[in-house]
Amino acid sequence: MTDLAVYAAHPNASRGRCHDEPGPQYRDEFQRDRDRIIHSGAFRRLEYKTQVFVNHEGDMFRTRLTHSMEVAQLARTVARVLGLNEDLTETISLAHDLGHTPFGHAGQDELNRCMRDFGGFEHNLQSLRVVDHLERRYLPFPGLNLTFESREGILKHCSRAKARELGEIGERFLQRRQPGLEAQLTDICDSIAYNNHDVDDGLRAGLINLDELDEVRVFRRHADVVREAWPKASTKNIGHEVIRRVINEQVSDLVTCSQRNLAELAPASIDEVRSANEPLIRFTDDVQEQHQELKRFLNERVYKHYRVRRMSNKAQRVVAQLFDAFFSDSALLPPHIRKRINKLADVDPHGGHARGVADYIAGMTDRFAIAEFERIYNPSELS
Ligand code: MG
C-alpha cells in the first residue's frame, strides 16, 4: 500500500470493534475486515442475486457479486491516487450490497411493503444487520465484528428515527456529519459502476440501442469520437469503447475534483473530514449533471422497460407470497430459522417475528426464493 494521507483511515487509529478481540497477526484491522466479508455466506450468495437482470435471464449480465467487484475496482484505483485506505475501501465496496433482497429493487420494495407495520425494510440497514448479527461464523461473537469504519461505510443512508436506535454508528445522521473519505468514495463509485454497467447490460439485452443512447449528452460526445476513429467497428464494440471512455471521464473528474477539495480544505484528520459541510469526494457540478442525466435515461428506458417490469412484477409476487406464508404460519419454516425467529420475538413481541421472516427472505438468492415459492405453493412440487 502506498503512503496513507493524514485524512485517510489508519488501521491503528480505528474506532474499534463492538467485541474486543486480539489484533491480527499478519494483516491490519481493515484487511481482516475485508477477509471476513469474503469468507461470509452472505457474500457468496451475491452471485445469485439480481442486480437488474435476474440471474437466470443470461450468464453475461451483472449480478450483485460482479457489481460489487466492479465497485471495488473503481474505488481502489481512486483510493490509491488520493492516498486513502485501499483495504477499507475494498471492504466497504464488497460489503455494501450484502443486505440486498433477491430480485433487486423490486424485491426490496416489496419486502418494505410487507414490513410497513414493523419498521419497514431497507437494504443499507440490512447490510449492517448482516455483518453485525446475521452472519454466524465465529464462536466468540455474533456477526463479523467489523471495525467501526467498515460499518460506517456500509450504512450509507439512514433515517433519523433509525439512527437513534443504532447508537454510535447512527450518530452522524443525527449530527449531520460526513462519513470518512473511504465511505464517501465507495458510495460514488457504486453509482459510476451501476450507471455504466446497466447501460452495457441494457444494450446486451436489447432494451436500448446506441441510437437511443445518443440522447444522453456524454454518450453522444464519446460515440461521435469513437465512430469517427473506427467507422467500421461493430455496434457492440462501439458500445464497449464508449462505456469505457465514459467511466474513464467520470473517474478522472472524481479524482481531480476531490484532489482540489482536499487541497482547499486541507483536513488534518478524519475528524475534520467529518465536520466538513459537504462530502469532499465528489464530481464537479458538470459531471454530476451528466451523471444525473444518465440516471434519468436508465430509469425511463431500462428500469421501466416492460420486460424488466414483467420480471419485477413476478419477483414482487414471490416475495409477498413467501412473506405471507411464513408470517402467518411459522410451522412452514425450517426449524433453525424458526428458532432464530422465536428468539427475536422474545425480545420484541410486536415486530420480532416479522423481522425474522424478513431476514430469512432477504438472505435468499433469486433461485432459492423461487424454489421456496414452488415448494410452498405448487402442489405437485416436493417439499
Ligand atoms: Mg451497489
Side-chain angles (χ1 to χ4, degrees):
M1 183 180 289
T2 43
D3 285 344
L4 289 177
V6 286
Y7 37 74
H10 289 250
N12 297 334
S14 164
R15 284 167 68 172
R17 303 174 188 273
C18 292
H19 307 271
D20 279 341
E21 53 178 314
Q25 194 178 357
Y26 302 113
R27 304 163 289 176
D28 70 35
E29 298 288 357
F30 298 135
Q31 286 177 288
R32 175 150 78 175
D33 279 4
R34 190 239 356 253
D35 297 348
R36 284 186 179 175
I37 297 295
I38 288 176
H39 286 274
S40 70
F43 182 70
R44 286 193 295 280
R45 292 198 300 271
L46 293 177
E47 182 174 2
Y48 297 103
K49 288 193 174 200
T50 289
Q51 183 67 27
V52 173
F53 298 88
V54 188
N55 184 284
H56 58 253
E57 283 182 274
D59 294 344
M60 292 292 278
F61 297 115
R62 267 70 175 188
T63 65
R64 291 254 168 236
L65 181 66
T66 60
H67 160 71
S68 303
M69 292 167 77
E70 289 185 29
V71 175
Q73 179 274 314
L74 295 167
R76 283 180 51 200
T77 301
V78 180
R80 202 181 291 191
V81 179
L82 299 181
L84 301 182
N85 193 302
E86 204 176 320
D87 296 312
L88 175 61
T89 303
E90 188 178 10
T91 306
I92 301 170
S93 304
L94 296 180
H96 84 283
D97 272 351
L98 288 180
H100 258 292
T101 61
F103 312 119
H105 280 278
Q108 119 130 5
D109 292 348
E110 191 56 38
L111 200 51
N112 187 32
R113 202 188 58 77
C114 297
M115 289 292 289
R116 63 191 178 279
D117 297 331
F118 307 102
F121 179 90
E122 207 278 317
H123 73 87
N124 271 297
L125 275 170
Q126 190 68 10
S127 297
L128 188 66
R129 195 168 159 74
V130 167
V131 300
D132 281 358
H133 302 289
L134 299 179
E135 277 291 320
R136 296 290 162 102
R137 320 193 62 78
Y138 303 93
L139 287 174
F141 44 78
L144 304 178
N145 198 29
L146 301 183
T147 59
F148 176 88
E149 292 75 12
S150 296
R151 296 171 63 236
E152 173 189 53
I154 291 170
L155 190 65
K156 283 196 285 191
H157 314 285
C158 183
S159 70
R160 291 173 68 83
K162 291 277 179 209
R164 265 180 227 110
E165 292 169 24
L166 289 172
E168 195 189 16
I169 201 80
E171 275 168 12
R172 77 174 171 94
F173 298 99
L174 300 172
Q175 298 164 351
R176 298 187 193 285
R177 278 159 65 87
Q178 308 300 330
L181 295 171
E182 289 81 1
Q184 296 181 20
L185 172 60
T186 307
D187 191 14
I188 207 159
C189 288
D190 183 21
S191 65
I192 298 177
Y194 68 67
N195 271 339
N196 286 289
H197 66 48
D198 288 352
V199 168
D200 190 38
D201 281 350
L203 287 169
R204 176 175 294 112
L207 303 185
I208 49 172
N209 59 43
L210 274 184
D211 291 340
E212 291 172 294
L213 208 50
D214 274 349
E215 292 168 29
V216 184
R217 280 171 303 163
V218 61
F219 273 85
R220 175 69 187 257
R221 179 159 43 80
H222 286 291
D224 285 347
V225 176
V226 171
R227 283 188 195 109
E228 199 175 311
W230 288 280
K232 289 181 186 155
S234 68
T235 355
K236 191 173 145 194
N237 286 341
I238 291 175
H240 290 156
E241 181 65 27
V242 172
I243 291 168
R244 177 175 91 86
R245 286 168 182 242
V246 173
I247 295 176
N248 202 35
E249 178 175 317
Q250 292 179 340
V251 170
S252 306
D253 182 82
L254 181 64
V255 167
T256 47
C257 181
S258 306
Q259 276 173 333
R260 199 179 321 133
N261 297 336
L262 287 164
E264 262 170 34
L265 190 76
S269 65
I270 302 190
D271 215 49
E272 290 186 30
V273 165
R274 295 182 191 283
S275 325
N277 292 331
E278 51 188 344
L280 298 173
I281 308 295
R282 58 172 199 264
F283 292 130
T284 55
D285 292 347
D286 264 7
V287 168
Q288 178 62 25
E289 174 46 38
Q290 283 175 16
H291 196 65
Q292 292 305 118
E293 189 187 348
L294 177 54
K295 245 182 194 168
R296 287 193 293 272
F297 174 85
L298 284 167
N299 198 25
E300 284 304 316
R301 303 299 178 88
V302 176
Y303 310 144
K304 286 186 182 162
H305 194 283
Y306 81 96
R307 278 167 52 202
V308 173
R309 292 300 284 262
R310 282 184 183 185
M311 207 59 224
S312 310
N313 188 274
K314 280 189 268 190
Q316 283 171 326
R317 249 171 251 259
V318 171
V319 168
Q321 293 190 35
L322 282 180
F323 188 89
D324 201 37
F326 295 141
F327 185 64
S328 52
D329 185 1
S330 44
L332 299 176
L333 288 159
H336 69 286
I337 301 293
R338 214 182 315 150
K339 207 167 127 194
R340 191 177 261 207
I341 291 180
N342 288 342
K343 275 191 197 159
L344 287 168
D346 284 345
V347 181
D348 173 11
H350 171 67
H353 181 73
R355 183 61 57 196
V357 172
D359 285 340
Y360 182 45
I361 294 174
M364 293 179 185
T365 60
D366 296 356
R367 60 187 190 172
F368 185 81
I370 293 168
E372 277 288 77
F373 178 85
E374 287 292 316
R375 285 191 283 263
I376 286 173
Y377 288 103
N378 182 351
S380 52
E381 188 73 18
L382 292 176
S383 297

